[in-house]
Amino acid sequence: MKHKAVLRVSSKLLMPPIMLFALYVQFHGDFGPGGGFQAGVIFASAFILYALLFGVNQARRVAPAGVIRTTLALGVLLYAGTGVVGLLLGGNYLNYSVLAHDQVHGQHLGILIIEFGVGMTVASAMITIFFIFAGRGRDERGE
Amino acid sequence: MAVIGLAYIFLRNLFAVVMLSGMFSLTAAVLYVVMDAVDVAFTEAAVGAGIATVLGLATLGLIGVVNEKPSKRSFLGPFLVVLVTGAVLINATLDMPDFGDPNAPIHHHVAPRYIEDSGREIGVPNIVTSILASYRGYDTLGEVTVIFTAACGVLVLLGRTRRRKPHGQETGDRETASGDGEAAK
């Protein structure tokens, strides 16, 4: 893919809007269709586009495996941890009403946090799986 | 969708099959939009048509594009199994209430409570989000854990970086074989 100038330039232009759209879907999930799952997938697709054009090795440098694995676990931890915080504040597990003074505010906050956790985990999982699948074929061809 | 499904069976080129599966998902997403399930359609378009197709292509790159040879075995047994299962499933759908029937059981269980009270209790305009994230928080936590586990499984099976020792090639191949065996189970 060294010489596909048009593809490289146009996808470079596309990548920021893809990520921005992912964040919009992530944080606008309360008001329109969308949420953590969809946002995570869209966010991951930006990285996958990068990896397709510039090679998996280059993309690995942008998103190191250690960081991706950390966010992979951190997303689940954020979700489950929100539940535990609710437990500590005197509510049931995963009851967000106790997170703020107002019940509705608490629910808003809880949903925002856990959706962010979902998005983190989904994005990291998709990136991990793609990098491993794509990177493995490269190894075996002896590059 | 039925045409795409039939094409699945008769095509022998795996590349075309991967592309068809993407088209199938996109058609399904359009169907969901028509049925007013925008959230589901969004997920189907992003995951089914987008990521699944890319992953299928990556897998093809891994194993090489193969034109599968038509198998010589008789297809009568599997065909019978499919026929019987399909007949049972279609028979089961006959008992289902009509689409959009307000007297269907599903509209009398918890749905009215969600629709009436979620605005006051959760205060989020999108009821789907409030059900997924708050009322059904445990289920969504489970789903996230499933995805986490899937990524961990891929990491464990395929993700180890192989060290290139002088005779490391064979050990690497043996690891692959055992890994595939576990995946098959």
Side-chain angles (χ1 to χ4, degrees), chain A residues 29-30 32 38 79 96 107 133 137, chain B residues 43 51 62 123-124 126 129 133-134 137:
Chain A
D30 301 3
Q38 295 92 329
Y79 197 140
Y96 320 123
Q107 292 283 353
F133 270 57
Chain B
T43 316
I51 293 285
L62 217 64
V124 167
N126 186 0
T129 302
S134 191

Side-chain angles (χ1 to χ4, degrees), chain B residues 6 13 21 26-27 29 37 43 66 72 77-78 82 93 95 113 119 121 125 129 139-140 154 156 158 161 170 177 181:
Chain B
L6 279 178
N13 188 342
S21 84
L26 210 58
T27 328
T43 316
V66 192
K72 294 280 185 288
V82 168
T93 58
D95 283 345
R113 193 190 167 281
E121 285 181 346
T129 302
D139 294 357
T140 312
V154 170
V156 169
L158 301 172
T161 44
E170 285 134 272

Side-chain angles (χ1 to χ4, degrees), chain A residues 29-34 37-38 41 69 73 76 79 93-94 96 104 107-108 111 114 118 125-126 130 132-133 136-137, chain B residues 39 43 46-47 51 54 59 62 120-126 129 133-134 137-138 140-141 143-144 147-148 155 158 176:
Chain A
D30 301 3
F31 302 96
F37 279 96
Q38 295 92 329
V41 170
R69 280 171 210 185
V76 182
Y79 197 140
Y93 185 67
L94 286 178
Y96 320 123
V104 173
Q107 292 283 353
H108 265 286
I111 289 176
I114 64 137
V118 172
M126 294 304 161
F130 178 77
I132 286 174
F133 270 57
R136 202 176 159 79
Chain B
D39 281 86
T43 316
V47 179
I51 293 285
V54 169
T59 317
L62 217 64
R120 184 170 47 80
E121 285 181 346
I122 315 288
V124 167
N126 186 0
T129 302
S134 191
Y138 280 108
T140 312
L141 179 60
E143 285 167 31
V144 177
I147 289 177
F148 175 68
L155 273 175
L158 301 172
T176 319

Side-chain angles (χ1 to χ4, degrees), chain A residues 22-76:
Chain A
L23 290 178
Y24 165 76
V25 170
Q26 170 84 57
F27 294 112
H28 205 256
D30 301 3
F31 302 96
F37 279 96
Q38 295 92 329
V41 170
I42 295 171
F43 200 77
S45 71
F47 281 92
I48 290 175
L49 181 64
Y50 187 83
L52 284 177
L53 279 166
F54 297 91
V56 175
N57 289 331
Q58 178 73 23
R60 268 187 211 277
R61 232 171 289 150
V62 178
V67 175
I68 295 294
R69 280 171 210 185
T70 314
T71 50
L72 178 70
L74 212 63
V76 182

Side-chain angles (χ1 to χ4, degrees), chain B residues 18-125:
Chain B
V18 170
M19 282 306 167
L20 272 180
S21 84
M23 276 167 61
F24 189 81
S25 287
L26 210 58
T27 328
V30 172
L31 188 71
Y32 294 141
V33 170
V34 170
M35 295 173 99
D36 281 345
V38 201
D39 281 86
V40 187
F42 201 170
T43 316
E44 180 70 43
V47 179
I51 293 285
T53 310
V54 169
L55 282 183
L57 287 179
T59 317
L60 274 191
L62 217 64
I63 61 176
V65 176
V66 192
N67 281 315
E68 196 192 334
K69 291 189 192 72
S71 81
K72 294 280 185 288
R73 276 184 298 171
S74 157
F75 61 91
L76 212 63
F79 186 67
L80 268 179
V81 172
V82 168
L83 215 62
V84 169
T85 320
V88 168
L89 285 177
I90 289 175
N91 187 34
T93 58
L94 293 182
D95 283 345
M96 274 169 61
D98 295 335
F99 177 69
D101 180 8
N103 294 320
I106 193 161
H107 296 310
H108 284 281
H109 186 42
V110 287
R113 193 190 167 281
Y114 287 155
I115 291 171
E116 279 157 23
D117 293 349
S118 80
R120 184 170 47 80
E121 285 181 346
I122 315 288
V124 167

Side-chain angles (χ1 to χ4, degrees), chain A residues 96-134:
Chain A
Y96 320 123
S97 300
V98 289
L99 289 179
H101 298 295
D102 189 4
Q103 184 198 351
V104 173
H105 274 180
Q107 292 283 353
H108 265 286
L109 193 66
I111 289 176
L112 209 65
I113 293 174
I114 64 137
E115 290 279 8
F116 189 58
V118 172
M120 256 160 81
T121 299
V122 172
S124 329
M126 294 304 161
I127 294 171
T128 311
I129 294 175
F130 178 77
F131 277 9
I132 286 174
F133 270 57

